[in-house]
Amino acid sequence: MKSLQNHFLVAMPSLDDPYFSRSLTYICEHNKDGAMGLVINQPSTMNLKELLEQTDKDLTVAEDKAEQIILAGGPVSQERGFVLHSSQSGWDSSLTLSPDVMITTSKDILSAIGTNTGPDSSIIALGYAGWTAGQLEQEMQDNSWLTIEADDEILFNTPIHKKWQAAVNKLGVDVWQLAPGAGHA
């Protein structure tokens, strides 16, 4: 089994699950036990200032960071926060996902981002998407997802509402021309 860590899952147009329709998911972990990822193109109803008011009331948030959108990272554990960010060590509870991307789950990075002392690039998500052993592979066989190697430009610099289409464009196929059913020879 090839690990899909540091890849995007691109939802096929036929995927009609309300949470994952036209979603782009960054895979943080994928092994024989299952997979974990963050949906990176579904905004939540919260911005960084509102989130920090809940976690650190005494912090003054930088004006240019206050309106940063917090993402709805997935339907699992929506009270848990995750920060995907450009590589920068020194945070509690961090894991390197690629040479350029880390994930951190500790609150110290939130305060740093809010005061412009954090990583150069970051996205913050509440909740995650999870798959049990073999579940993601089955969903891929059922034509729910296409995969592509993660792209830092799409991950950090493409506007949320354009991420799915940017990943589709990078695939180089017209997904609207693909049949919704899986073909097996």
Side-chain angles (χ1 to χ4, degrees):
M1 175 191 76
K2 180 183 180 255
S3 175
L4 294 175
Q5 180 173 313
N6 195 43
H7 280 70
F8 289 140
L9 285 183
V10 182
M12 289 289 287
S14 59
L15 182 61
D16 60 2
D17 179 288
Y19 202 94
F20 292 105
S21 178
R22 293 239 192 129
S23 67
L24 184 63
T25 304
Y26 178 87
I27 299 298
C28 301
E29 183 176 34
H30 180 227
N31 56 39
K32 64 179 177 48
D33 298 321
M36 179 269 184
L38 298 174
V39 177
I40 61 167
N41 68 330
Q42 303 289 348
S44 73
T45 58
M46 188 180 301
N47 63 35
L48 182 58
K49 182 178 180 186
E50 293 165 338
L51 179 63
L52 287 171
E53 285 173 350
Q54 293 179 15
T55 61
D56 191 352
K57 293 186 185 318
D58 298 326
L59 185 73
T60 301
V61 180
E63 195 172 308
D64 64 323
K65 294 291 185 177
E67 297 301 317
Q68 180 175 336
I69 296 169
I70 304 302
L71 301 174
V76 182
S77 296
Q78 294 179 339
E79 71 286 352
R80 289 188 59 198
F82 301 88
V83 180
L84 283 176
H85 58 91
S86 52
S87 291
Q88 183 188 47
S89 58
W91 308 109
D92 294 335
S93 304
S94 289
L95 179 65
T96 300
L97 302 176
S98 79
D100 301 318
V101 180
M102 297 181 80
I103 187 169
T104 299
T105 58
S106 59
K107 287 183 1 181
D108 60 337
I109 196 168
L110 289 177
S111 300
I113 291 169
T115 58
N116 279 325
T117 58
D120 292 336
S121 301
S122 64
I123 57 175
I124 303 165
L126 295 175
Y128 68 93
W131 293 265
T132 58
Q135 182 183 4
L136 179 56
E137 292 79 3
Q138 183 61 53
E139 289 181 14
M140 291 174 65
Q141 286 181 359
D142 293 341
N143 275 1
S144 295
W145 305 102
L146 294 174
T147 62
I148 188 170
E149 191 171 335
D151 177 302
D152 293 350
E153 183 65 26
I154 294 172
L155 183 63
F156 294 121
N157 299 322
T158 301
I160 292 169
H161 65 285
K162 293 184 177 183
K163 287 180 189 274
W164 182 83
Q165 189 63 54
V168 165
N169 293 346
K170 191 170 172 111
L171 282 167
V173 297
D174 183 353
V175 295
W176 299 105
Q177 297 298 316
L178 296 176
H184 301 285

